[in-house]
Amino acid sequence: MDQFILDLKQEKFNGSYDLAYKVINHLRKLISQTRWAHAKELMGVIRKEGKQLVAAQPSEYVIGNMVRRVLKIVREEYVRLLGKSEEFANTESLHKMLTSAETEDEKYMKSLKELKTTVMEAVSEYIDEMDASIHNIAAQAIEHIHSNEVILTIGKSRTVEAFLKQAAKKRKFHVIVVEGAPLYHGHELAASLAAHNIETTIITDSAVFAMMSRVNKVIIGTHSVLANGGLKAVSGAHIVAQAAYQHAVPLIVLGAMFKLCLLHYSDIGGSEATFNRLASPHRVLDYYKAGSQDLCNVQVYCPTFDYVPPELVTLFISNIGGNAPSYMYRLLSEMYHPNDHEL
Amino acid sequence: MQSADVGDPSKANKAVKKSVKKERRKEKISNKGDSSKSQQQQSVQQFDGAVAPKSKAELRAERRAKQEAERAAKTLKKEEQAKSNKAKGPQVSANLQVDDPKVQKKAAKKLEKQQVPQRTEGHKKVTLFSHLHQYERSVSITKDIGFGSTGIHPAIIKLGLQYAEGIITGSNARCAALMNAVCHLIADYETPPQKELARHLESKLKPAISFLNQCRPLSVSMGSAIKYMKIKITKIPSDMSDDKAKQELISDLQAFVHVNITLAKQAISNSACSKISDGDVVMIYGSSSLIIHVLNAAFKTGRNFRVVVVDGRPKLSGIRALRHLCRAGIKCSYVLISAVSYIMPEVTKVFLGAHGLLSNGYVMGSVGTSLVSMAAKARGVPVIVCCEAYKFCERVQTDSFVNNEIGDPRDLLATDGSSSGPLIKEDAYKNLDSLKVLYLTYDVTPPQYMAMVVTELGMLPCTSVPVVLRVRSFDT
């Protein structure tokens, strides 16, 4: 357990899929290895572990998402085994509150033999669903891309890559990739797309507004989707979104459902600032130049993420289909239980 | 004789008159007897009737007359065409018609005549910009200029190389360097005998400018300077001695630089300083000599502000601005353009320099200017553009595609010898056919993103450019 927390602190994962995978496997191991008597105890164990994981890497919301998802799975399985419908566990109607036989403390305390196996099965099913999420999103590509379109994308997202490659099997279109300084992930994406014979052009970040008048769609991936439908995306995504909005170009965001998180965006700075992560400024202004006498007092910023407000996003495509950003908050109730919002 | 010719149905009236004139001239030069014999024979023919066969001389005469008539008709047509051409209006430059092979052939011939070496086009072109030159920097352009060629002055060659290598950048610097080199050219110039200084000097300048254009496309500031040069040269009175004319020209050109660049800089600083207040956070993009001057002047007056420098690849000219500002003691921050949204909540004003101002109010600046203005406008941060009045031009443009400078795509890729970073390597780029790299140099910003333009004539809205151009054309 400690090794995993250390890995999280040192950021030894690449990409959200990888991290989500690792977290949920870790939780599955936890469920099978620890001893627990009933559902409430199990949830307590998961919650405690979840708090530690989230504290190790607070800027990665996927960790919290996975923990809450597992808690929701546990609740659902418990209720199902008791014979009641799943919706019963969710709705908090006045009638239910007055007539329910169990009190808050007694809930989830019935000891059920099959709970462990069913929970393990449900978690494995969820892992399979996560595995297939990129494939499900890519399968929708052909509905959204038509021939001779010019598509703009920024940074490197595995989902966008699979999406475009799938569409390229049937349609001919042109992709403009913004290089995304200072990490230059765009170069990797462009090389990969060009190797698949997709017409690709690399442009610098500064040329986005100039090129936008010729672009038909902007398709980007995202790190997380916030509860209001906003995005936590790669640095530079906000200006791309604004330029697209100014030119009335639709912005399509691709992301699997596990990226949807409960948090809202706030501008909090200081020690509570977990929204943005500042990477080493060496990439922006290297030590050779910045260390010189002239420039030693310059503050150099290298933010990794950008907040994109929901007004700039036209469509979300996830593994369960397409949605408007104003609908995203409803999907939260399907994924997480309201009692789990605070771990 | 005349009546016989008029009666012939196959010739136009004017052509006939011209051919008649030519025949008369031929009579005067050639043997009088021969021509009159042929004419007599011809007239005899007409009286006899068309049935009798014509003699050889008569046939020759007829053929000659026909040829001359055709030649006359051709010259007429050319004149008419020339007249209609003049009525067409401004011509589109060959630099914007690279996808038209006929236009390019003509341009290449012109360059050859002027003894200016031509650059080779790159082999991987971005189709969206196929109407613009997309050169690839392979070999030095001056490789083909031999010693002793009298085409281009060495000061101009040096200047062209400095432009091509990026040693002299920035519109003010390029314009000042151009004037300096032309002053050298004029100082070394000697009018050949039997020729007028005004006309011959202009023909000497043409290949020089074509050469500079080949090294790097002319900037708006340079275009304005060249126009001024040409006007001054044509205004030289023909009775002035060569030495005096040259001296006057040189002092005029130096005055142009002094008035339009140096003095304008000071005037703009004075008015723009008033826009910076205590506690301001000023954002600038890239490096503009004028903006740096403004900020230094404002700092000297004792205002307390800090500067955020935004920079764009691959030029990374913001570092130069950073050095100038830090040396002056101004507190600075530095970000790349992708982090503009991150830093914008802190910014109170944006100051931008311009490469040129177009007649429809659009501002042409280094690529990325439009992005910064748009991001600032979205947050309600005022954008102030500082630009000297000589950079105003009559061109109109609504997007950044129709006219732009495409740089060498290899500048965006990994430099040779660097360690394996995420940037694509050059040979990978060459091998992938579907991969293109675009390096735009300029972009145009619509006027709605800008609050105002500060020039030496005052603070104007962007849409006042044609008014200023009119006023200036009356002055010169």
Side-chain angles (χ1 to χ4, degrees):
Chain A
M1 307 291 175
D2 290 326
Q3 179 57 38
F4 185 62
I5 293 185
L6 204 61
D7 282 345
L8 279 184
K9 279 203 182 131
Q10 294 175 344
E11 296 180 22
K12 283 206 182 123
F13 49 85
N14 48 347
S16 343
Y17 284 99
D18 191 41
L19 177 61
Y21 226 51
K22 288 201 170 107
V23 170
I24 204 159
N25 276 322
H26 176 82
L27 290 173
R28 191 166 65 160
K29 239 192 316 180
L30 185 72
I31 295 174
S32 65
Q33 284 172 6
T34 51
R35 294 176 61 77
W36 41 273
H38 43 69
K40 188 154 177 192
E41 201 180 321
L42 171 61
M43 290 201 294
V45 166
I46 297 176
R47 212 176 267 136
K48 189 166 135 233
E49 182 68 16
K51 268 203 212 128
Q52 278 187 331
L53 294 176
V54 169
Q57 189 58 262
S59 74
E60 290 290 341
Y61 304 150
V62 174
I63 304 171
N65 292 352
M66 291 290 107
V67 171
R68 292 184 181 93
R69 188 83 186 94
V70 170
L71 288 171
K72 175 95 177 357
I73 289 176
V74 169
R75 282 179 205 263
E76 276 175 9
E77 293 306 314
Y78 176 84
V79 164
R80 198 142 53 84
L81 284 178
L82 278 186
K84 301 185 185 124
S85 73
E86 280 166 21
E87 278 168 29
F88 188 79
N90 288 344
T91 51
E92 295 263 312
S93 70
L94 198 58
H95 179 255
K96 183 178 149 210
M97 279 196 279
L98 291 175
T99 60
S100 97
E102 304 173 329
T103 61
E104 187 56 51
D105 281 336
E106 287 170 2
K107 259 191 192 166
Y108 300 106
M109 285 202 7
K110 271 222 186 99
S111 158
L112 298 162
K113 274 178 285 169
E114 309 89 23
L115 187 62
K116 191 162 186 171
T117 39
T118 44
V119 166
M120 295 295 284
E121 257 177 43
V123 171
S124 306
E125 213 180 284
Y126 184 64
I127 293 178
D128 289 337
E129 193 188 305
M130 256 176 48
D131 263 342
S133 53
I134 289 190
H135 178 78
N136 286 338
I137 294 174
Q140 301 173 52
I142 204 79
E143 293 173 7
H144 295 279
I145 300 181
H146 58 261
S147 287
N148 286 330
E149 267 203 303
V150 177
I151 294 179
L152 185 113
T153 182
I154 179 167
K156 181 180 164 72
S157 161
R158 258 178 293 169
T159 323
V160 172
E161 198 180 333
F163 193 82
L164 293 174
K165 284 182 183 165
Q166 180 72 21
K169 286 186 190 159
K170 299 257 178 72
R171 307 257 156 93
K172 200 108 185 77
F173 53 91
H174 192 116
V175 178
I176 297 180
V177 180
V178 182
E179 62 176 11
L183 298 172
Y184 306 117
H185 285 318
H187 283 251
E188 292 171 26
L189 176 64
S192 155
L193 290 176
H196 261 73
N197 288 328
I198 302 177
E199 284 288 325
T200 322
T201 308
I202 298 181
I203 63 170
T204 54
D205 306 321
S206 25
V208 167
F209 192 88
M211 297 298 286
M212 192 58 79
S213 56
R214 257 321 216 115
V215 172
N216 296 117
K217 286 193 173 79
V218 178
I219 299 183
I220 60 175
T222 173
H223 173 268
S224 322
V225 180
L226 303 173
N228 64 343
L231 306 177
K232 177 171 166 171
V234 71
S235 169
H238 189 206
I239 40 178
V240 169
Q242 276 180 326
Y245 184 73
Q246 294 290 332
H247 285 90
V249 173
L251 173 66
I252 298 178
V253 179
L254 307 180
M257 281 314 283
F258 68 81
K259 289 187 180 175
L260 179 62
C261 51
L262 286 167
L263 301 168
H264 285 265
Y265 172 70
S266 73
D267 266 324
I268 298 178
S271 59
E272 297 152 29
T274 54
F275 183 79
N276 217 327
R277 214 163 38 176
L278 295 175
S280 162
H282 173 74
R283 294 182 214 267
V284 174
L285 191 62
D286 57 15
Y287 297 131
Y288 179 64
K289 288 195 198 98
S292 68
Q293 192 106 45
D294 291 334
L295 302 180
C296 54
N297 285 328
V298 175
Q299 295 262 22
V300 181
Y301 298 104
C302 180
T304 335
F305 299 116
D306 249 352
Y307 170 65
V308 181
E311 302 86 56
L312 301 177
V313 179
T314 317
L315 186 67
F316 273 109
I317 297 182
S318 67
N319 44 326
I320 58 177
N323 293 306
S326 47
Y327 182 65
M328 296 314 277
Y329 78 98
R330 258 340 249 168
L331 298 174
L332 284 173
S333 63
E334 287 180 22
M335 305 243 312
Y336 316 119
H337 195 271
N339 289 346
D340 294 329
H341 284 224
E342 284 290 321
L343 274 184
Chain B
M1 180 180 63
Q2 270 188 358
S3 55
D5 281 352
V6 165
D8 202 312
S10 69
K11 295 182 185 123
N13 269 346
K14 271 192 188 166
V16 163
K17 279 190 192 147
K18 279 216 162 131
S19 64
V20 162
K21 274 191 197 155
K22 281 205 171 123
E23 296 247 297
R24 254 188 240 151
R25 225 181 288 149
K26 272 208 184 114
E27 266 185 285
K28 286 181 187 161
I29 299 172
S30 65
N31 207 342
K32 212 175 185 184
D34 275 354
S35 45
S36 56
K37 214 207 286 179
S38 65
Q39 276 163 22
Q40 267 176 10
Q41 274 183 338
Q42 222 181 14
S43 45
V44 163
Q45 255 1 73
Q46 293 287 6
F47 288 138
D48 276 355
V51 186
K54 298 185 179 163
S55 69
K56 253 193 196 164
E58 284 153 11
L59 285 170
R60 226 185 295 135
E62 269 188 21
R63 241 182 286 137
R64 210 188 303 136
K66 222 195 254 178
Q67 274 178 8
E68 272 145 28
E70 278 171 16
R71 219 178 293 143
K74 209 169 158 193
T75 48
L76 252 184
K77 214 171 104 192
K78 254 194 200 158
E79 272 181 26
E80 278 171 23
Q81 245 190 6
K83 271 191 218 142
S84 60
N85 271 348
K86 275 187 204 139
K88 263 190 200 152
Q91 295 276 347
V92 179
S93 117
N95 285 334
L96 300 179
Q97 297 183 64
V98 176
D99 50 356
D100 190 349
K102 255 198 277 180
V103 173
Q104 288 314 297
K105 245 203 232 166
K106 251 201 266 176
K109 261 196 232 159
K110 205 168 121 191
L111 286 178
E112 249 186 77
K113 216 170 52 171
Q114 294 172 339
Q115 295 178 323
V116 172
Q118 213 187 357
R119 282 180 85 168
T120 45
E121 298 274 339
H123 50 271
K124 251 211 200 175
K125 292 184 154 204
V126 179
T127 40
L128 214 53
F129 289 92
S130 55
H131 60 285
L132 296 174
H133 286 294
Q134 294 185 44
Y135 295 124
E136 242 169 60
R137 254 203 310 257
S138 43
V139 202
S140 171
I141 190 179
T142 52
K143 184 178 72 122
D144 295 320
I145 297 184
F147 295 119
S149 95
T150 52
I152 308 168
H153 191 271
I156 303 284
I157 298 182
K158 175 176 164 199
L159 185 66
L161 284 175
Q162 283 174 328
Y163 284 163
E165 297 294 313
I167 297 172
I168 297 186
T169 51
S171 33
N172 282 342
R174 284 168 76 186
C175 180
L178 172 70
M179 286 310 213
N180 196 14
V182 170
C183 285
H184 279 294
L185 191 153
I186 295 176
D188 292 342
Y189 171 75
E190 296 249 344
T191 326
Q194 316 246 327
K195 295 231 174 119
E196 241 185 82
L197 177 108
R199 296 227 183 89
H200 191 251
L201 182 58
E202 208 175 318
S203 69
K204 207 73 163 105
L205 272 178
K206 274 213 184 93
I209 292 170
S210 307
F211 175 71
L212 291 177
N213 201 7
Q214 285 290 302
C215 291
R216 196 179 157 186
L218 299 179
S219 65
V220 170
S221 54
M222 287 165 70
S224 181
I226 291 169
K227 224 193 289 184
Y228 179 80
M229 245 189 266
K230 288 196 174 144
I231 293 176
K232 279 292 165 197
I233 291 176
T234 51
K235 282 206 181 138
I236 296 175
S238 46
D239 55 350
M240 200 183 261
S241 79
D242 271 2
D243 279 335
K244 191 149 178 271
K246 289 199 306 192
Q247 255 180 3
E248 279 222 6
L249 258 182
I250 291 179
S251 63
D252 275 338
L253 298 184
Q254 285 173 345
F256 178 86
V257 171
H258 183 66
V259 167
N260 283 308
I261 299 181
T262 322
L263 289 182
K265 204 187 274 200
Q266 287 173 359
I268 293 175
S269 304
N270 289 339
S271 31
C273 273
S274 59
K275 290 293 160 193
I276 302 179
S277 20
D278 272 340
D280 259 347
V281 180
V282 175
M283 174 184 274
I284 68 173
Y285 179 69
S287 166
S288 164
S289 53
L290 180 59
I291 300 289
I292 293 173
H293 193 265
V294 167
L295 293 175
N296 278 341
F299 192 67
K300 280 202 192 100
T301 62
R303 289 183 167 87
N304 184 15
F305 62 94
R306 66 183 174 89
V307 175
V308 176
V309 179
V310 180
D311 210 358
R313 268 197 94 222
K315 271 206 211 143
L316 292 178
S317 50
I319 298 181
R320 198 174 76 180
L322 210 54
R323 274 190 226 277
H324 283 283
L325 295 171
C326 286
R327 249 177 243 156
I330 304 176
K331 277 189 295 243
C332 297
S333 314
Y334 180 81
V335 286
L336 288 180
I337 197 167
S338 44
V340 154
S341 327
Y342 174 75
I343 205 98
M344 197 55 85
E346 297 178 9
V347 175
T348 56
K349 290 198 177 77
V350 178
F351 273 76
L352 297 173
H355 173 85
L357 250 71
L358 306 172
S359 260
N360 55 345
Y362 280 59
V363 170
M364 186 161 165
S366 44
V367 68
T369 314
S370 52
L371 212 50
V372 172
S373 324
M374 176 203 66
K377 180 80 198 285
R379 278 202 79 103
V381 175
V383 177
I384 299 167
V385 174
C386 298
C387 180
E388 296 92 341
Y390 82 105
K391 286 186 195 162
F392 287 19
C393 67
E394 291 110 16
R395 245 180 22 211
V396 286
Q397 217 176 308
T398 51
D399 59 40
S400 322
F401 292 95
V402 292
N403 195 347
N404 212 319
E405 186 186 327
I406 311 286
D408 189 0
R410 293 177 302 178
D411 285 343
L412 288 179
L413 304 173
T415 49
D416 294 325
S418 73
S419 58
S420 66
L423 290 172
I424 295 183
K425 305 253 176 341
E426 221 179 289
D427 20 331
Y429 164 64
K430 281 207 191 110
N431 292 336
L432 286 167
D433 277 332
S434 315
L435 183 65
K436 310 257 161 54
V437 178
L438 179 63
Y439 174 7
L440 278 180
T441 315
Y442 300 118
D443 70 12
V444 280
T445 314
Q448 62 254 31
Y449 295 141
M450 275 163 289
M452 65 165 142
V453 179
V454 181
T455 68
E456 68 263 31
L457 304 165
M459 302 193 200
L460 317 163
C462 279
T463 43
S464 305
V465 173
V467 176
V468 171
L469 281 171
R470 218 181 146 79
V471 164
R472 274 170 79 85
S473 70
F474 284 152
D475 281 342
T476 49

